[in-house]
Amino acid sequence: MLTTVDRDELLSHIRDHIVNELLRDSEGVELAADTPLLEWGILDSLSTMRLLNFLRQDLKAPLTTSDLVGDNFRDLNSLVDFILTAHAQRQDA
């Protein structure tokens, strides 16, 4: 998916997954691109691992558990930027 997706589409896809699959009582939840995912408790250790699995399996994102650092999962903008950068770097390697 990463080879044909643009940044906004990727951000929207990840946002939808977080809201629909990881949040409890997500009805009416608006998740902005700059909403603090870790600080506000939207992602905890279990939901972060579930998100990582989604990113690797469904989006074919080239991520490993060593990529699980707070800066990469700070908010949707940080996460999408990290995924796109990692994808570009691994394509060049």
Side-chain angles (χ1 to χ4, degrees):
M1 174 168 181
L2 288 178
T3 57
T4 61
V5 71
D6 70 9
R7 185 183 191 289
D8 291 336
E9 185 179 346
L10 180 60
L11 192 141
S12 178
H13 196 65
I14 294 170
R15 175 190 295 130
D16 290 346
H17 178 77
I18 291 172
V19 169
N20 296 324
E21 301 297 327
L22 302 179
L23 290 180
R24 295 184 182 105
D25 302 321
S26 63
E27 187 173 328
V29 170
E30 299 271 339
L31 188 60
D34 61 351
T35 298
L37 300 174
L38 299 171
E39 184 179 331
W40 287 9
I42 294 168
L43 292 180
D44 58 19
S45 57
L46 179 59
S47 59
T48 301
M49 288 305 298
R50 290 176 59 200
L51 178 59
L52 179 65
N53 286 335
F54 165 76
L55 297 171
R56 290 194 306 204
Q57 293 174 0
D58 290 13
L59 301 182
K60 308 299 185 221
L63 305 177
T64 66
T65 52
S66 64
D67 297 321
L68 289 174
V69 295
D71 284 346
N72 296 339
F73 289 80
R74 181 178 47 243
D75 54 32
L76 286 170
N77 283 325
S78 300
L79 181 56
V80 169
D81 290 343
F82 174 72
I83 291 169
L84 293 174
T85 299
H87 177 69
Q89 288 175 345
R90 290 178 179 135
Q91 290 295 317
D92 292 340

